[in-house]
Amino acid sequence: MDCCDEHARASAGLPAIEAGMPEPAGTGLSRRSFLLRSAGLGLAVYGAGALAKAPWFETGVAQAQAAGPGTVLLSVFMDGGVDSLSLLAPVGDPRYRALRPTLAVDGGREFTEDSRLAWHPSASALADLHAEGKVSVLPAVGYTNADQSHFTSRHFWEVGALDPHLRTGWLGRVLDRVGSPDNPLQGVSLDGQLSPTLATARNPVAAINKPEDSGFWTPGAWGSAEDLAVPAFTNIGHALRGSADPAVAQAAQAAAFAGGVRDALAPLGADGKPAYTPAAAYPETSDAFPKRLAGFAAMLGAGLPVRVASINAPGAYDTHANQAASLPKNLQLTFDSLLAFQRDVEARGLADRVLVLVWSEFGRRAQENGSGTDHGAAGCGFLIGSRIAGRMVGEFPGLSQLDKDGNLRATSDFRGVYGALCGDWFGVDPAAVLPDARGIGRPVILK
């Protein structure tokens, strides 16, 4: 088995958890799902409690577009705890090969900011972007007294606080301040289910797979009948939004929002067929990750008022076994796709507006267990974009002073990084978003 039992996930909705683990952010949100095609979830609109009686969707989108393009953050989650000591291998540290007699990476290109480190050969795309000054590396990011449970540590990163009871995501709280009650496209989960990171307290967000896959499931209707049913359903939603019955008004608002999202995405394709051409060459693969990134770039290129989005990187990084076989292919597809996405937004003239955050819930144990590595503490993260400062956040602490469990010690706190993103990227007071980050330093992340 490559992954531990604790790491099993549900196939839809919020992540599955074990008894006693923190419930994911977004627990208690109402989901209004509208399904299309046998592939599964096509589109969903989420809101905390009752969706607000907001103005027309079209008005909200128009107002957001009239306000001018805002900055965009794409959160990319490497699920399972990526092995930072392979991704940025400390080949120049004398303890490395003693701790990793089997799994030590014969380094690729030298990491120019610290000669002890070398890029994994499968991360050459990320090394290329770093050489261009478009990647800031966090070589040992985490938090003190790290929890080595997937669920707990992931929850902390998702809510932006070391609080197992918090039910809104940190980017959801950003959207509650920079977003509006009438624009579900302001926050988009690109995996077809709600990302806990985007769970809001007030404003709606949407979940899609790819823009060309979005639509409604209309039982027993297809062809021209379905074409007539979808707008009729949406119009009924508009007509009943003012109902005195809260349940009817809630369902109507959800229908109106979902219909608006579908209509906004319609020019980008339908029936699984894209009507857009990517502005860069994405990897050819059966995995949906590069296609979702290409669709997201097309959404931004079409002027849709997105502020934050989230997506899971391909593969699983909980490499207790068979790490040498599984890790390289997952790294290769992840970073080749992100390089293509960066080239895509550059070609579309959007690069100054778009920033990518790549993170994982923790790193791996410094000492291998044979064919894999166990749960660790500090790991690595990355900020990618044309406006990124392009220099290391925190330092690599070396392998001579591991913590009591044999894990890498954190030299930067993820909440400090979030604080810099809140203040410098979104113009939001970090104290209003991050409840326990007072006193944690905020790094310089932009040029």
Side-chain angles (χ1 to χ4, degrees), residues 88-132:
L88 276 173
V91 295
D93 192 304
R95 295 200 64 200
Y96 182 52
R97 293 192 179 276
L99 292 166
R100 299 281 181 96
T102 303
L103 294 180
V105 174
D106 291 324
R109 291 155 58 181
E110 180 181 298
F111 178 58
T112 54
E113 296 182 79
D114 188 332
S115 61
R116 294 174 295 172
L117 305 177
W119 294 99
H120 192 288
S122 296
S124 59
L126 193 61
D128 288 343
L129 286 172
H130 180 261
E132 296 173 13

Side-chain angles (χ1 to χ4, degrees), residues 220-233:
W222 57 88
S224 58
E226 183 179 19
D227 293 339
L228 291 171
V230 170
F233 182 72

Side-chain angles (χ1 to χ4, degrees), residues 146-180:
D147 191 300
Q148 296 174 50
S149 157
H150 289 291
F151 301 121
T152 301
S153 192
R154 173 178 175 172
H155 176 81
F156 290 165
W157 278 79
E158 288 170 338
V159 302
L162 307 187
D163 182 351
H165 306 294
L166 199 53
R167 293 292 174 265
T168 53
W170 80 277
L171 285 176
R173 295 194 297 277
V174 169
L175 284 176
D176 279 336
R177 285 157 179 82
V178 304
S180 69

Side-chain angles (χ1 to χ4, degrees), residues 421-440:
L421 289 168
C422 287
D424 300 337
W425 192 245
F426 289 112
V428 173
D429 180 6
V433 174
L434 306 169
D436 66 355
R438 187 180 301 275
I440 296 176

